[in-house]
Amino acid sequence: MGIFDKLRNEFIDIIEWTDPSADTIVWKFPRYQNEIKMNAKLTVRESQVAVFMNEGKIADVFQPGMYTLTTQNMPILSTLQGWKYGFNSPFKADVFFVSMRQFTNQKWGTKNPVMLRDAEFGPLRLRAFGSYAFRVKDAGVFLKEVAATNPEYTVDGINEQLRNLAVSRGMDAIAEAKIPVLDLAAKYDEVSLLITEKIRPEFNELGLDLTKFLIENISLPPEVEAALDKRSSMGIVGNLGAYAQFQAANAMEKAAENPSGGGLAAAGLGAGMGAAMMGQVGNVFQQNQVNNAGGTTPPPLPPIAQFYVAVDGKQTGPYDFDQLRQLAATGSLQSQSLVWKTGMAAWAAASSVPELAPVLATVPPPLP
């Protein structure tokens, strides 16, 4: 190998980055002590940009494409190097490739419960977790604000900071929305949008863009969830008397499957317990009715008496008082008409039943 060939090998003439990883954001081209040759080939693939830095300052930024490096397409670096007359000599520059693709499925979540005030339940502690996605929006800003001169910068280097932003600003957005806790599950999309709009400006300050923010779950402490489950169970049970009967019937059915003396005794015990429960429940209902008698809840209406009426030798009815008045108005019910209701020993004339006196009073007397 001649001396000129040796010198030629000291110059870099191909600059590119084939990214084999899934989490690398910034990768520095390994120039070592070699200089970049004028007319070197630069290949920037889709979802990448190449940033040339000179003495710690950002010079030129190249978008996806293939370039032949000359002083014409490196205007800033050419100015910094002082190539006023386009002198085609090798040069030294740090080349950083920045991945512009989305980094998806980044997890966030509360390390400890966050205290919030709910309109229905008062102070509550909530936990929340989910995922988000981001990409580099401005490679220059990201290099200056975050990556600096690190030869390789991955998602792990900034994930903790982004996760803290998501949790602190996200829970703040949930508190400001004042959505009842029981309605949060139905409004994950709305809450996610609120959080995205709240924390996106802070991502932009780092040269990043928040492309997606998802809430997977918002949960209450276990003891609060247990109390809510009991409350839901009481709402589903509804009639406690019927529930007591159901429990007693189940006990008797299980005991019947074992015809031994122990099974029959258990059946008797189950029936006795069911009867005792129903008696206690009945006492509670009676007590509630007594308490409500002097309160704002009126007692139940008395049952409406209904009469059967003999019309043209046929039994009709039963009729309530409004219907009886209509019969009297049409002449189908008169004072001598036979009537009967529950509790009467036999059919009797309508005029002999005191309850029907107001109804018969509306019937006009016969024409003279």
Side-chain angles (χ1 to χ4, degrees), residues 22-80:
D23 61 349
T24 302
I25 305 177
V26 178
W27 181 77
K28 182 180 179 181
F29 183 77
R31 184 176 55 82
Y32 302 113
Q33 299 299 321
N34 297 334
E35 293 182 330
I36 299 174
K37 183 173 61 176
M38 277 296 179
N39 298 316
K41 300 297 182 182
L42 170 66
T43 301
V44 183
R45 290 172 170 81
E46 289 290 344
S47 74
Q48 297 177 355
V49 295
V51 180
F52 280 63
M53 298 187 70
N54 179 64
E55 297 180 356
K57 296 180 180 180
I58 294 177
D60 298 298
V61 179
F62 292 85
Q63 300 298 324
M66 182 174 290
Y67 303 88
T68 299
L69 298 180
T70 64
T71 56
Q72 284 75 23
N73 59 22
M74 294 187 298
I76 299 178
L77 186 60
S78 299
T79 302
L80 295 175

Side-chain angles (χ1 to χ4, degrees), residues 182-328:
L182 298 183
D183 296 335
L184 280 175
K187 296 183 179 295
Y188 278 178
D189 289 342
E190 292 86 340
V191 176
S192 297
L193 182 60
L194 287 174
I195 296 175
T196 300
E197 296 303 322
K198 190 175 185 65
I199 65 179
R200 177 171 282 158
E202 299 195 46
F203 273 63
N204 293 343
E205 292 175 0
L206 302 176
L208 302 175
D209 184 28
L210 178 65
T211 58
K212 187 75 68 176
F213 188 92
L214 299 176
I215 298 174
E216 296 180 24
N217 183 262
I218 297 177
S219 60
L220 297 166
E223 58 274 14
V224 178
E225 291 183 350
L228 285 176
D229 290 341
K230 290 182 180 179
R231 176 176 173 179
S232 301
S233 299
M234 293 301 296
I236 294 174
V237 168
N239 190 329
L240 293 179
Y243 180 72
Q245 293 178 354
F246 175 73
Q247 292 290 82
N250 281 342
M252 295 177 67
E253 181 180 358
K254 291 180 180 179
E257 295 175 357
N258 183 11
S260 62
L264 296 176
L269 178 60
M273 292 178 64
M277 289 176 65
M278 287 185 287
Q280 292 178 0
V281 171
N283 292 336
V284 171
F285 287 164
Q286 291 176 2
Q287 184 65 34
N288 288 340
Q289 291 177 356
V290 171
N291 292 338
N292 289 334
T296 59
T297 304
L301 294 172
I304 300 176
Q306 294 186 328
F307 285 84
Y308 292 88
V309 180
V311 179
D312 297 332
K314 297 180 181 180
Q315 174 184 314
T316 62
Y319 303 108
D320 58 23
F321 283 103
D322 290 336
Q323 294 170 326
L324 290 174
R325 291 188 182 91
Q326 296 177 5
L327 292 176

